[in-house]
Amino acid sequence: MIPATRWTLRTLAAVMLGLVLLVSIWQKEASGRDLADFAGADDQGSPAGILAPSVTAAANCRYGVSAQPSQLSWLEQLGAGWYLDFHVRDNGPTEAEYVLTIATIQDKDANNNRLDTYTVLPRLNDDPGGLGWWLDVWPGAIWLVGNEPDRGPNPGNPTDRVQNDTMPDIYAQAYHEVYHFIKERNPQALVANAGLVEVTPGRLQYLDIVWDTYFDLYHAPMPVDIWNMHLYILPEVTPSGQPNGIANVALGTNPALGKRESGGQASQCPLNSVYCFAEHDDMARFAEQVEAMRTWMKDHGQRNKPLILSEFSILYPYIFDSETQTWFLTDENGNNFNPQRVTDFLEAGFAYLESAVDGQLGYPADGNRLVQQWLWYGVEVTGPGDASNLVNSESLTQMGQAYQDWVAAKSLYTNLLPDPPADIVAAPAAGQTTVTATLTADVRNNGTLRAGVPLSVTFYADEALNQVIGTAMVPAPGADFPGMTGCATRHVTVEVSWAGVGFGWHDYWIEVDSGGDIVEGPGGELDNVTQGRLLVPFTQLFLPTMPKN
């Protein structure tokens, strides 16, 4: 092990650089450039001239990877079903789904004082290079609103902005504006919150402040289509409780909640208040963070939403210092983060995420899985984080081969199901004894493979599925419709009309893929049918309205 003083200082510097790396993708390209260039829109023409996203994806939607444009050719070989680059770009079609990242950054004055305003990139307009323009390029896409806004400047260097650097109350306002901008222009788009650095008590307090601020300002729960998290096991404060330049204390939160460094002492690792370097790949800590996020979601009425893990891997370096003949970093047990250790963590993480199911916390539409999709950072990065690289120049690393083998061993299948509908009440008009009711169904695919053809959804008035009320169609994937993507992160709503329905309760049944056009995987068609109820009331009670002062 490196002597304690030098070990601590050098470790902090290395990890700090690793965390800075992701935001630098934005900042370096944005510096001194027009926004259109920043957003990747070198073509100032119509979005119609840009290649549409792929509609023939055959990759596994559970598995993702971060990849820059020059690395996209590796996605098919790895089997990745989705990817991101912490950006908004024209990447052209790939078999993997592109998830886009919007920057939300709190403004500061010339003296580095925080302002009550913020900047969104791409800008919230419909000009070429603006977010409205990109919504036409990527219709129906998943948009991450921000990237680690909880991570502020490092101690002693307030001008060094790390990640999106935004106080939680300001982030709530930025999220609100971005969410509604997106939904007004593209209702099919899916909006996710920014992943925080990790899921610790301090980070959950940040999320609480965001949630509460949103409700206080807009008098409604924060609308999130997909919840998003990052998972790194990083200490937030020094052994004495000061922000440490590694994960740092989440902005606007109580430093006493911070996970402490060990001070190089392995004896500290069992303490719940400490995150040792040796625990950076600890699966018990890993599971704690996933369960903590799902518990938070349940406590806030969000259990019936998908959860994605948009970043995890080993950030600590694997570097041998030839000058000192020592490893740049070893953990409290004297071990380094060599390829075998990283590979073991990759496989253990995948095994946990595949099997993590909880009937009290999980997502019901996805068999109560805790996490729907997960992403490894990354294909190939230069500098900090490169211990986790899947590719080394022109070939797969040991980790890359393990990723490829793991994903290749997983089956690709489609599994369609309707969400159980809520009861419907349809009152007849005055003097009428029947109604024409609108029946709707939300259809999902919790398999690993996109449905590539149109499919029918039929509503019936009898359990034997003989008395047809009506049939609606879900179209095949196309330039304007991503299709029935897998992993239960997206739903498609269809509707039919039921005419001549009289008074009383009426049961109806919904069958997905009633035409039998999709060959389904595990579970087959056993979950393709669900039941709903319609009430046509005999009487109606009209109450006077009373204004509230």
Side-chain angles (χ1 to χ4, degrees):
M1 180 181 293
I2 298 174
T5 301
R6 187 175 64 193
W7 175 74
T8 300
L9 292 175
R10 299 183 73 176
T11 298
L12 295 180
V15 177
M16 178 180 70
L17 287 172
L19 295 174
V20 169
L21 177 64
L22 304 186
V23 76
S24 68
I25 296 169
W26 288 90
Q27 292 174 333
K28 289 180 181 178
E29 297 192 24
S31 178
R33 298 178 59 186
D34 182 82
L35 172 67
D37 295 328
F38 169 79
D42 296 320
D43 176 4
Q44 293 297 299
S46 165
I50 293 179
L51 293 170
S54 170
V55 296
T56 59
N60 191 321
C61 64
R62 300 281 179 199
Y63 293 85
V65 68
S66 67
Q68 296 305 306
S70 62
Q71 301 165 351
L72 298 186
S73 60
W74 288 100
L75 300 184
E76 182 177 359
Q77 185 172 342
L78 290 166
W82 64 292
Y83 74 101
L84 53 76
D85 59 7
F86 310 99
H87 217 290
V88 177
R89 301 182 193 270
D90 163 28
N91 287 333
T94 67
E95 290 192 5
E97 181 176 7
Y98 181 34
V99 173
L100 303 104
T101 308
I102 299 165
T104 56
I105 306 170
Q106 186 172 3
D107 297 327
K108 295 182 179 180
D109 64 18
N111 295 318
N112 210 46
N113 297 311
R114 292 185 182 276
L115 303 176
D116 292 335
T117 58
Y118 51 85
T119 296
V120 175
L121 298 171
R123 302 283 185 184
L124 298 183
N125 59 46
D126 298 313
D127 298 336
L131 183 56
W133 190 81
W134 283 110
L135 285 164
D136 289 337
V137 176
W138 298 103
I142 297 173
W143 298 83
L144 310 183
V145 183
N147 184 55
E148 298 186 356
D150 53 312
R151 181 63 160 81
N154 289 315
N157 192 4
T159 61
D160 178 24
R161 306 201 72 174
V162 179
Q163 305 296 38
N164 282 178
D165 186 18
T166 301
M167 298 294 285
D169 58 326
I170 301 299
Y171 176 78
Q173 298 170 55
Y175 181 90
H176 176 266
E177 186 175 16
V178 174
Y179 176 90
H180 288 284
F181 183 94
I182 291 173
K183 290 293 187 177
E184 287 169 5
R185 287 160 178 78
N186 186 194
Q188 288 187 353
L190 299 178
V191 183
N193 64 298
L196 307 184
V197 172
E198 54 190 337
V199 183
T200 57
R203 262 58 198 193
L204 291 177
Q205 186 180 64
Y206 183 99
L207 205 52
D208 279 335
I209 297 170
V210 171
W211 181 269
D212 293 342
T213 300
Y214 193 100
F215 193 89
D216 291 343
L217 290 176
Y218 309 112
H219 311 294
M222 182 176 169
V224 177
D225 297 317
I226 299 173
W227 284 95
N228 174 32
M229 65 178 285
H230 292 175
L231 204 166
Y232 291 113
I233 304 165
L234 299 169
E236 299 162 312
V237 295
T238 64
S240 62
Q242 302 303 310
N244 63 0
I246 303 179
N248 268 357
V249 173
L251 292 172
T253 67
N254 183 358
L257 296 174
K259 294 287 187 178
R260 298 186 178 227
E261 295 176 50
S262 68
Q265 303 301 312
S267 60
Q268 297 293 300
C269 298
L271 299 178
N272 189 52
S273 59
V274 172
Y275 267 177
C276 280
F277 291 97
E279 295 178 302
H280 192 51
D281 55 350
D282 184 272
M283 288 311 301
R285 297 290 201 183
F286 190 100
E288 284 176 4
Q289 289 199 22
V290 171
E291 292 165 11
M293 185 65 198
R294 266 289 173 189
T295 299
W296 187 94
M297 290 171 61
K298 180 180 179 180
D299 291 345
H300 291 77
Q302 301 293 295
R303 180 187 168 190
N304 286 312
K305 299 284 184 69
L307 171 64
I308 62 173
L309 170 53
S310 63
E311 230 188 284
F312 86 102
S313 70
I314 295 295
L315 287 183
Y316 294 150
Y318 175 60
I319 300 172
F320 185 74
D321 190 328
S322 58
E323 179 181 343
T324 63
Q325 291 294 298
T326 58
W327 290 100
F328 187 79
L329 168 66
T330 55
D331 65 21
E332 292 84 353
N333 299 315
N335 299 319
N336 56 44
F337 292 89
N338 57 63
Q340 187 59 54
R341 182 172 181 177
V342 179
T343 300
D344 290 344
F345 177 62
L346 179 148
E347 293 176 340
F350 286 173
Y352 169 79
L353 292 164
E354 281 278 4
S355 62
V357 173
D358 189 310
Q360 301 301 314
L361 296 176
Y363 181 36
D366 194 23
N368 287 319
R369 286 177 178 268
L370 296 181
V371 184
Q372 280 53 70
Q373 298 179 260
W374 41 89
L375 180 143
W376 183 262
Y377 175 76
V379 169
E380 185 174 19
V381 301
T382 301
D386 62 2
S388 294
N389 280 349
L390 302 180
V391 172
N392 181 12
S393 298
E394 298 181 357
S395 61
L396 294 177
T397 63
Q398 178 178 336
M399 292 74 70
Q401 189 63 56
Y403 186 111
Q404 180 190 58
D405 292 346
W406 186 281
V407 178
K410 300 300 175 184
S411 60
L412 291 171
Y413 64 94
T414 300
N415 186 60
L416 304 167
L417 69 162
D419 289 353
D423 290 347
I424 302 171
V425 178
Q432 300 296 312
T433 58
T434 63
V435 299
T436 296
T438 299
L439 307 180
T440 64
D442 291 338
V443 181
R444 298 183 191 271
N445 169 16
N446 67 11
T448 59
L449 180 65
R450 185 196 312 259
V453 300
L455 58 100
S456 53
V457 182
T458 301
F459 295 72
Y460 301 90
D462 68 315
E463 188 173 7
L465 309 183
N466 293 319
Q467 301 173 30
V468 175
I469 297 170
T471 297
M473 296 299 298
V474 176
D480 296 323
F481 175 62
M484 290 302 305
T485 54
C487 296
T489 50
R490 176 178 278 107
H491 74 267
V492 176
T493 302
V494 297
E495 65 178 43
V496 300
S497 294
W498 193 3
V501 185
F503 295 121
W505 281 101
H506 302 271
D507 293 335
Y508 64 92
W509 287 260
I510 304 166
E511 182 183 21
V512 178
D513 190 28
S514 51
D517 298 307
I518 303 290
V519 176
E520 299 193 42
E525 299 180 354
L526 297 177
D527 53 5
N528 281 29
V529 177
T530 192
Q531 183 178 359
R533 296 196 307 169
L534 165 67
L535 172 63
V536 181
F538 287 93
T539 59
Q540 300 177 59
L541 177 63
F542 295 93
L543 298 175
T545 59
M546 299 182 67
K548 180 179 180 181
N549 292 331

